Amino acid sequence: MRNIPFNKPANLGSEYGYVADAVKRGRLSGDGYYTKGCQRLIEEKYHAKKVLLTGSCTHSLEMAALLCDIKPGDEVIMPSFTFVSTANAFVLRGARIVFVDIRPDTQNMDETLVEHAITDRTKVIVPVHYAGVACEMNAIKAVAEQYKLKIVEDAAQGVHAFYEGIPLGTIGDIGCYSFHETKNYTMGEGGATILNCEDDFLRAEIIREKGTNRTEYLLGMADKYTWKSKGSSYLPSDISSAYLYGQLLESEKINTMRMERYNQYYANLRDLQDKEKFVLPYVPDNCTHNAHMFYLKTRSFEERCEIIAYLREKGIVSTFHYIPLHSSQQGRKSGIFAGEDKYTTVAAETLLRLPMFADLTGGDVDYICEHIYDFYRER
């Protein structure tokens, strides 16, 4: 019997040399050689105007909330089918979260519901690109422009994914990436803030440096180092950044490895989808995904529980994703659900994530799929 974990952080081996070099350089705190190097690589590869590496995607989202000047009573629209950080970042600033339903095909925010959720207190729309598949950004941008709202893209799962050829995270006003160990490219814990409006550049530097003008001071652009605004310590260490630097240099290799396993899953399991045993991921024609995850949607909550247990007996770790935020204890305190929950809870109860990581072998995928077929043989 094989033992296949749900996730293993990407590790190509080349990362160690950069980590050792970071130590030799003698500066391990934030904004060192490799932090700046990662920012430059992301800016160049994805044509981003400005990138600031952070200690996590949560930090990036918190920076975004500060940059959007969220105040108590402001409303922020987002899907309920997302990780808690998406909401927490804005709740910490006093916002009320307005949750909208998702599409049943992509599990993304239903763009047709956004306008109905807008009130005179709405300030920001937060599309979450689930599984590295883009939300319908043209429609969301049109609504945001009409009502003069900010867009903060939660692209935690969307690094190296595209909407109509445009990199996710660079479409709205601010984008937020994750480099957590469960993501395609990793630094253990980490993230990045993508700034698409020049007016935010200096403010973001100040917010990220604990509300001080330290960056300006170090560059000789200010003669005093002082507290200027609200902020926090959102810098990653340069050791973490050095590990990520090695991965970003070989991002295409990692992407190819993941796409091969994704396509293998799909080819192996398509027959069971055709027999209506479950539903496989859907990617619209105008989206290019990044093989962040592979999932299937079972016919019921009970069936999902059974297949998770069955696969675990075979040494395969699978998992579900997200308790809807609007049904959680804090979600009920901090937000409301606008309209009808037709698909959010259904997705939360039926979506099953299969192992997906760069080192997953073709043999592993075949083994997993064989046992999925065995599970459904008499069902």
Side-chain angles (χ1 to χ4, degrees):
M1 184 176 74
R2 301 192 187 207
N3 288 300
I4 304 176
F6 172 68
N7 176 70
K8 284 174 61 179
N11 183 345
L12 301 176
S14 58
E15 299 92 343
Y16 302 124
Y18 298 110
V19 171
D21 185 62
V23 174
K24 289 178 184 177
R25 287 176 180 274
R27 178 176 173 182
L28 305 182
S29 61
D31 251 2
Y33 178 84
Y34 284 104
T35 304
K36 292 177 180 177
C38 288
Q39 291 170 178
R40 184 182 67 255
L41 289 175
I42 297 169
E43 288 169 355
E44 291 172 353
K45 189 171 187 66
Y46 302 121
H47 308 291
K49 290 184 178 178
K50 187 175 182 64
V51 174
L52 294 175
L53 228 58
T54 58
S56 66
C57 187
T58 301
H59 283 174
S60 178
L61 288 160
E62 289 177 7
M63 283 183 63
L66 285 163
L67 285 166
C68 291
D69 198 27
I70 296 296
K71 294 182 173 63
D74 289 340
E75 292 183 352
V76 177
I77 298 171
M78 65 181 64
S80 177
F81 192 65
T82 185
F83 190 58
V84 295
S85 294
T86 314
N88 256 337
F90 298 93
V91 170
L92 283 169
R93 307 258 64 84
R96 182 191 198 210
I97 309 301
V98 179
F99 299 111
V100 296
D101 206 8
I102 59 173
R103 292 169 42 156
D105 53 0
T106 61
Q107 325 316 313
N108 282 331
M109 168 192 285
D110 187 334
E111 67 280 0
T112 67
L113 302 177
V114 173
E115 186 171 12
H116 300 290
I118 293 172
T119 72
D120 58 2
R121 292 188 172 186
T122 306
K123 202 160 188 179
V124 180
I125 303 170
V126 186
V128 179
H129 304 300
Y130 185 74
V133 176
C135 296
E136 189 50 62
M137 292 303 296
N138 284 342
I140 293 171
K141 282 188 71 175
V143 172
E145 290 169 4
Q146 179 181 349
Y147 291 92
K148 296 180 172 55
L149 305 175
K150 294 277 192 180
I151 295 176
V152 174
E153 291 178 77
D154 185 335
Q157 301 175 5
V159 183
H160 204 71
F162 304 83
Y163 173 77
E164 298 188 350
I166 305 171
L168 302 190
T170 69
I171 303 169
D173 298 281
I174 302 167
C176 303
Y177 284 168
S178 175
F179 298 114
H180 185 266
E181 71 168 32
T182 58
K183 301 304 189 291
N184 296 28
Y185 315 104
T186 182
M187 54 196 292
E189 293 276 0
T193 303
I194 317 301
L195 302 166
N196 302 317
C197 302
E198 291 187 12
D199 290 347
D200 290 334
F201 290 4
L202 180 57
R203 288 185 60 219
E205 294 268 17
I206 290 171
I207 287 169
R208 180 168 168 260
E209 282 280 12
K210 311 163 193 70
T212 72
N213 64 338
R214 180 172 179 269
T215 299
E216 284 183 292
Y217 175 73
L218 292 175
L219 292 173
M221 298 168 61
D223 59 0
K224 294 179 181 178
Y225 173 19
T226 185
W227 185 19
K228 297 193 72 172
S229 78
K230 294 176 183 177
S232 191
S233 182
Y234 291 134
L235 289 163
S237 84
D238 218 47
I239 292 180
S240 300
S241 300
Y243 191 92
L244 177 64
Y245 186 82
Q247 299 219 328
L248 293 178
L249 287 176
E250 299 194 70
S251 60
E252 294 295 342
K253 180 178 180 180
I254 293 173
N255 186 66
T256 297
M257 294 164 72
R258 297 182 72 102
M259 287 301 300
E260 287 176 352
R261 298 290 80 81
Y262 180 99
N263 292 335
Q264 184 181 358
Y265 265 132
Y266 206 99
N268 285 3
L269 296 173
R270 183 179 300 175
D271 183 56
L272 288 178
Q273 175 175 250
D274 292 344
K275 294 176 180 177
E276 300 184 347
K277 303 295 186 180
F278 47 66
V279 176
L280 296 176
Y282 168 74
V283 181
D285 290 340
N286 61 347
C287 300
T288 303
H289 73 102
N290 59 1
H292 173 64
M293 72 172 76
F294 194 90
Y295 64 84
L296 51 87
K297 292 174 73 176
T298 62
R299 293 170 294 191
S300 69
F301 172 75
E302 292 75 18
E303 183 174 275
R304 187 183 69 180
C305 292
E306 290 170 9
I307 192 170
I308 287 174
Y310 180 84
L311 293 176
R312 188 173 290 275
E313 289 177 359
K314 308 302 178 182
I316 303 162
V317 180
S318 58
T319 188
F320 57 86
H321 217 177
Y322 306 143
I323 303 300
L325 296 186
H326 75 280
S327 64
S328 67
Q329 180 179 348
Q330 186 59 48
R332 290 193 296 270
K333 293 179 182 177
S334 299
I336 60 166
F337 196 97
E340 182 183 357
D341 172 10
K342 292 178 66 176
Y343 302 113
T344 297
T345 297
V346 172
E349 292 181 347
T350 61
L351 191 143
L352 173 72
R353 294 183 63 185
L354 299 176
M356 171 59 81
F357 46 90
D359 288 341
L360 192 68
T361 69
D364 289 336
V365 172
D366 285 341
Y367 178 82
I368 293 164
C369 294
E370 286 169 11
H371 286 295
I372 292 174
Y373 269 85
D374 288 343
F375 176 83
Y376 281 101
R377 201 171 304 282
E378 302 300 328
R379 295 169 186 266

